[in-house]
């Protein structure tokens, strides 16, 4: 869009789930902001702090949606009315509802229509009736970042010139007063979903192995993870569990040589500040959609384990073999390769830790490939309007 700002729309981007999901929405949010006079982001409580870190966002609105989250809020007429009043007052012209491949945008789309939003677009496999003005069809196996950019582009919003489409946050603070000035590796042992992280015992062994190999280890975690981080840090690592809020954690990650972390928000925060990631990726969700984006990373974990694709919150297999079976040698090799910035090819998701490869495969991150901007309905997988 090239018209002056008085003719550009007031736009809303909706992403109602976790901090990691909001960070992955960042490139699409920037595309919307480049073509809008005002851009707001509607988040859930778990994603609001991440939303405030995104560049080009004029306002973050928060709603605890009863159809989202690990512990959904109860349906509340009062909370719904408050949201409708807030949206109506802001007179949005356009909205994009961003959801993961297994989620529905339609509850949010209904509320946007009731709030008088003039035009709404979303990926939807379900028939949307009159709720969507642009029903978009997500490409199969698409990474979350690229799927959101596809939707934004087909809604008429292109990334601005010079924007490479990688994850970004506002400049994080310098955290050397906490981390010290010597080089370090971050180990983030926790995750909101236990199946997506090492067991505490396995994390303890990995921390000790990294320290024994000569790496200075900084252990991070949220306020509820203090006991875990203290145990993992032991006497050989620096424990920052519960010490940092999300913006400060971004600063800690920005100063790290490498981050060792499961499939959880801090992995995407590390990517957003440009830090390579050793990704402990449980296959309960597909790596092709959720792996670290746009930075060098090594994917560890058996991607063909029995739990693959189950979206399980707790590992259904005794011993958590998909992640706890990853050996110290593999972790150390991955950290060493990333610290050396050694590019040895692209990661193959069909390979697992059971394969016969002799060294880590460093993925430099998918190259964002935003196509030329299209107007609404400009691609084969897009439908204008709501009809089938």
């Amino acid at each position: 869009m090239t018209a002056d700002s008085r003719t550009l729309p007031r736009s809303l981007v909706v992403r109602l789930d976790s901090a990691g999901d909001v960070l992955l929405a960042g490139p699409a949010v920037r595309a919307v902001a480049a073509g809008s006079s005002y851009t707001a982001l509607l988040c859930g409580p778990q994603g609001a702090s991440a939303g405030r870190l995104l560049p080009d966002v004029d306002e973050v609105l928060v709603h605890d949606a009863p159809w989202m989250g690990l512990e959904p809020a109860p349906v509340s007429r009062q909370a719904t009315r408050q949201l409708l009043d807030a949206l109506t007052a802001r007179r949005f012209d356009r909205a994009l509802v961003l959801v993961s491949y297994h989620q529905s945008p339609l509850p949010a789309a209904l509320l946007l229509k009731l709030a008088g939003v003039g035009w709404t677009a979303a990926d939807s496999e379900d028939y949307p009736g009159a709720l969507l003005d642009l029903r978009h069809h997500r490409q199969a196996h698409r990474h979350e970042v690229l799927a959101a950019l596809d939707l934004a582009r087909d809604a008429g919003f292109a990334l601005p010139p010079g924007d490479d489409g990688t994850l970004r946050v506002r400049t994080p603070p310098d955290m050397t007063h906490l981390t010290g000035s010597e080089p370090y590796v971050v180990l983030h042992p926790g995750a909101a979903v236990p199946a997506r992280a090492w067991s505490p015992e396995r994390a303890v062994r990995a921390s000790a192995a990294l320290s024994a190999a000569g790496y200075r280890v900084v252990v991070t975690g949220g306020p509820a993870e203090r006991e875990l981080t203290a145990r993992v840090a032991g006497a050989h690592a620096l424990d920052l569990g519960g010490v940092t809020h999300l913006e400060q954690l971004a600063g800690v990650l920005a100063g790290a040589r490498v981050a060792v972390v499961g499939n959880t928000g801090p992995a995407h925060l590390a990517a957003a500040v440009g830090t390579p990631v050793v990704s402990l990726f449980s296959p309960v969700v597909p790596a092709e959609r959720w792996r670290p984006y746009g930075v060098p990373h090594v994917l560890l974990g058996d991607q063909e384990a029995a739990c693959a694709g189950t979206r399980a919150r707790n590992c259904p297999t005794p011993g958590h073999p998909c992640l706890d079976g990853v050996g110290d040698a593999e972790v150390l090799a991955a950290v060493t390769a990333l610290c050396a910035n050694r590019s040895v090819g692209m990661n193959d998701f069909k390979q697992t830790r059971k394969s016969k490869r002799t060294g880590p495969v460093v993925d430099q991150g998918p190259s964002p490939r935003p196509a030329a901007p299209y107007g609404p309905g400009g691609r084969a997988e897009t439908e204008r309007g709501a009809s089938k």
Side-chain angles (χ1 to χ4, degrees):
M1 296 185 184
T2 58
D4 77 40
S5 60
R6 290 172 297 180
T7 65
L8 294 177
R10 292 173 57 85
S11 300
L12 175 71
V13 179
V14 180
R15 185 78 216 207
L16 288 167
D17 28 19
S18 71
D21 299 304
V22 171
L23 291 169
L24 293 174
V29 172
R30 298 199 305 271
V32 171
S36 301
S37 61
Y38 186 88
T39 304
L41 182 63
L42 176 60
C43 297
Q46 302 303 314
S49 58
R52 296 185 184 103
L53 294 182
L54 295 183
D56 302 329
V57 174
D58 295 302
E59 182 180 16
V60 174
L61 304 172
V62 182
H63 178 63
D64 198 357
W67 61 91
M68 300 295 295
L70 300 178
E71 297 180 2
V75 176
S76 165
R77 182 175 296 182
Q78 179 181 1
T80 302
R81 283 178 173 168
Q82 289 174 344
L83 175 63
L84 290 175
D85 289 346
L87 296 176
T88 301
R90 285 159 177 80
R91 298 181 177 274
F92 292 112
D93 302 299
R94 285 194 161 209
L96 268 64
V97 182
L98 301 181
V99 291
S100 299
Y101 71 100
H102 59 279
Q103 297 170 335
S104 172
L106 299 185
L110 173 60
L111 294 181
L112 296 179
K113 286 297 182 186
L114 292 174
V117 176
W119 190 91
T120 300
D123 289 328
S124 183
E125 295 305 315
D126 299 320
Y127 173 63
L131 300 183
L132 294 179
D133 300 280
L134 175 62
R135 180 191 183 186
H136 191 265
H137 290 282
R138 178 181 178 133
Q139 293 185 42
H141 312 295
R142 201 71 159 145
H143 193 283
E144 292 292 307
V145 172
L146 293 174
L149 280 170
D150 290 345
L151 174 62
R153 182 199 59 221
D154 284 8
F157 297 108
L159 285 167
D163 191 326
D164 62 3
T166 53
L167 305 190
R168 295 182 189 172
V169 292
R170 300 176 192 272
T171 303
D174 183 346
M175 298 301 294
T176 53
H177 64 286
L178 285 183
T179 63
S181 58
E182 295 298 316
Y184 61 90
V185 169
V186 163
L187 173 57
H188 189 92
V193 176
R196 300 186 191 182
W198 270 329
S199 68
E201 296 79 10
R202 180 67 192 89
V204 167
R205 296 198 303 274
S207 176
L210 286 165
S211 296
Y215 291 102
R216 191 164 75 91
V217 179
V218 173
V219 182
T220 58
E225 297 172 322
R226 286 191 176 100
E227 183 177 344
L228 171 64
T229 61
R231 181 178 174 187
V232 171
H236 50 263
L238 175 62
D239 178 15
L240 294 185
V243 173
T244 59
H245 55 62
L246 195 68
E247 183 180 18
Q248 292 169 326
L249 178 59
V252 172
L253 289 165
R257 300 177 70 189
V258 173
V260 181
V261 57
N263 175 28
T264 187
H268 304 305
L269 188 58
V273 297
T275 297
V277 178
V278 175
S279 177
L280 305 166
F281 206 102
S282 166
V284 292
V285 295
E288 65 186 1
R289 294 185 173 109
W290 296 102
R291 62 176 177 167
Y293 186 82
V295 294
H297 60 278
V298 175
L299 198 74
L300 298 181
D302 184 357
Q303 300 304 296
E304 297 176 358
C307 62
T310 62
R311 300 208 300 270
R313 298 180 184 177
N314 294 289
C315 181
T317 306
H320 197 23
C322 70
L323 291 187
D324 280 11
V326 174
D328 288 339
E330 291 176 89
V331 177
L332 292 171
V335 170
T336 299
L338 289 172
C339 283
N341 197 25
R342 180 156 56 93
S343 301
V344 291
M346 297 298 290
N347 198 28
D348 180 353
F349 291 114
K350 295 188 181 301
Q351 285 186 310
T352 75
R353 62 170 299 274
K354 294 177 180 177
S355 68
K356 295 182 179 179
R357 66 174 186 256
T358 57
V361 178
V362 178
D363 189 339
Q364 295 298 314
S367 299
R369 296 183 298 275
Y374 290 85
R379 295 189 64 196
E381 64 270 13
T382 301
E383 293 185 17
R384 184 187 293 273
S387 61
K388 282 249 185 187

